[in-house]
Amino acid sequence: MKTKIFFLIALSSFVLVFLAAPLRLFANFQTSTLVGFICFFVLTLYCTKRFRTKLPDYLILAAMLLGICIIEVPLRITNFESTLISLPDFIIHCLGIIAGFIYMKSNKIIGVSAGLAALAIAVFMFFSGYDLWLNKINYGTFTGIVTENTPEIKISDSCNKVFTNETFRNKIVVLEFWNTACGVCFKKFPSLQEKYDKYKNTEGVEIYAINLNLKRDTLNQAINTIRRLNYSFPVLVVYGDTLAKKFNITGVPTTIVIQNDKIVYRGDIEGVDKVLEKFRNSHNPRNQLKIQR
């Protein structure tokens, strides 16, 4: 009887994993994480209350965790790198089970505190934590803020104007690396255009889309594509992979911000505002006047 109940609980947890999984595709990982946390928390409450007289509490907890781990853990062990993107989803779901168990097993104060603390973590992942995690696995830093030496730069535009480290000296420069085969890059272009429109009249701020030319690209394909889509940000085309290697670009899109011959940001285009606003404020004559006073 106990064995049957144990595997029934494990099966219910296992099924819930598959019911929550489609949310990753039809909504996003954040939604899957938060909804899954709530569902696993509630399921744990139900199973603990329903079967606690027939099965020891620790076996109820073990059955719940077995159901969620029986497929997830082997997959993550054998495909660790490729499953990192969904790791927070798995951890928060397990947290929902543990929080539900603590809530049922502890006194009211401890139980409610544990439940609220776990929920706060799930909500944090929903609003900003997951974006920080993506930044970490894609760019090596949670916030995007880095301090790296700028490699040697030499890029020519369509008018044969050469851009070098000296060209960018005493400026803050945003470089958005992309290629014509990158669907995500095209989805980021509206954000890139928004940043360009916002800062194009700010002295000392320059924004460029750096096209990493593919062998299959036709002559001027990158520039013509951008203009056909009615974007106005400047495009610089780079041939070969030398520059990408110098900047340690392992995938596109990648946004790099350079200031004072240092790379100060590496991440998504949406995150450059915090760097550019800091630069703009530091160069605002009103702010400089306040400092002098």
Side-chain angles (χ1 to χ4, degrees):
M1 183 65 177
K2 289 184 178 181
T3 301
K4 183 178 180 180
I5 294 174
F6 179 88
F7 284 108
L8 178 63
I9 295 172
L11 179 62
S12 64
S13 179
F14 178 79
V15 170
L16 185 54
V17 171
F18 282 90
L19 292 177
L23 288 174
R24 300 176 183 177
L25 299 175
F26 297 109
N28 51 41
F29 276 103
Q30 294 93 316
T31 302
S32 171
T33 298
L34 184 57
V35 172
F37 169 84
I38 296 171
C39 290
F40 278 105
F41 182 86
V42 171
L43 181 61
T44 304
L45 296 184
Y46 172 78
C47 290
T48 304
K49 185 176 181 179
R50 175 72 174 78
F51 299 112
R52 68 190 317 172
T53 59
K54 300 178 181 179
L55 197 68
D57 290 340
Y58 73 91
L59 286 180
I60 295 175
L61 175 63
M64 288 292 300
L65 291 174
L66 175 64
I68 196 173
C69 293
I70 193 168
I71 288 183
E72 289 266 10
V73 171
L75 281 176
R76 295 183 185 282
I77 292 175
T78 56
N79 302 279
F80 181 72
E81 292 291 335
S82 62
T83 59
L84 278 175
I85 189 173
S86 62
L87 182 59
D89 193 55
F90 169 64
I91 293 175
I92 297 299
H93 291 176
C94 290
L95 181 62
I97 294 173
I98 295 170
F101 183 76
I102 294 174
Y103 181 87
M104 291 299 294
K105 284 291 294 177
S106 305
N107 61 53
K108 188 174 182 179
I109 295 177
I110 295 178
V112 171
S113 298
L116 290 176
L119 178 61
I121 295 173
V123 171
F124 168 74
M125 290 303 300
F126 179 81
F127 285 105
S128 60
Y130 190 73
D131 290 333
L132 295 175
W133 174 249
L134 285 182
N135 215 73
K136 176 64 176 177
I137 62 177
N138 288 328
Y139 309 110
T141 168
F142 286 109
T143 63
I145 304 301
V146 297
T147 302
E148 305 171 8
N149 292 325
T150 303
E152 181 183 357
I153 302 172
K154 189 174 182 180
I155 313 172
S156 300
D157 65 9
S158 57
C159 298
N160 292 323
K161 178 182 178 181
V162 179
F163 296 80
T164 65
N165 299 68
E166 188 62 34
T167 308
F168 297 145
R169 200 171 302 281
N170 298 322
K171 299 175 182 178
I172 187 163
V173 182
V174 178
L175 304 178
E176 174 78 349
F177 288 85
W178 67 286
N179 65 43
T180 55
C182 172
V184 177
C185 296
F186 285 86
K187 292 180 180 179
K188 294 288 184 178
F189 285 157
S191 294
L192 179 61
Q193 184 66 49
E194 177 188 346
K195 307 304 178 191
Y196 177 72
D197 292 337
K198 183 177 181 180
Y199 296 103
K200 64 182 179 181
N201 295 321
T202 301
E203 185 178 356
V205 176
E206 296 185 6
I207 298 177
Y208 299 94
I210 306 297
N211 174 254
L212 302 177
N213 190 261
L214 302 176
K215 291 182 178 180
R216 72 183 193 185
D217 290 345
T218 58
L219 183 64
N220 295 326
Q221 179 177 339
I223 295 176
N224 292 336
T225 298
I226 294 301
R227 299 300 169 249
R228 187 174 67 252
L229 294 173
N230 294 319
Y231 294 121
S232 60
F233 48 77
V235 180
L236 302 179
V237 180
V238 175
Y239 297 90
D241 59 0
T242 301
L243 189 67
K245 288 182 177 179
K246 285 182 177 180
F247 275 98
N248 193 28
I249 303 298
T250 57
V252 290
T254 295
T255 305
I256 298 289
V257 179
I258 301 172
Q259 183 179 17
N260 297 328
D261 212 30
K262 295 285 186 181
I263 298 174
V264 296
Y265 177 86
R266 180 186 294 272
D268 289 322
I269 186 63
E270 290 85 358
V272 303
D273 274 317
K274 53 191 172 185
V275 181
L276 297 181
E277 284 299 319
K278 182 178 180 181
F279 175 85
R280 183 158 68 176
N281 291 335
S282 67
H283 288 71
N284 189 323
R286 293 183 179 179
N287 292 336
Q288 294 176 359
L289 184 59
K290 289 178 181 179
I291 294 175
Q292 291 174 359
R293 288 179 178 175

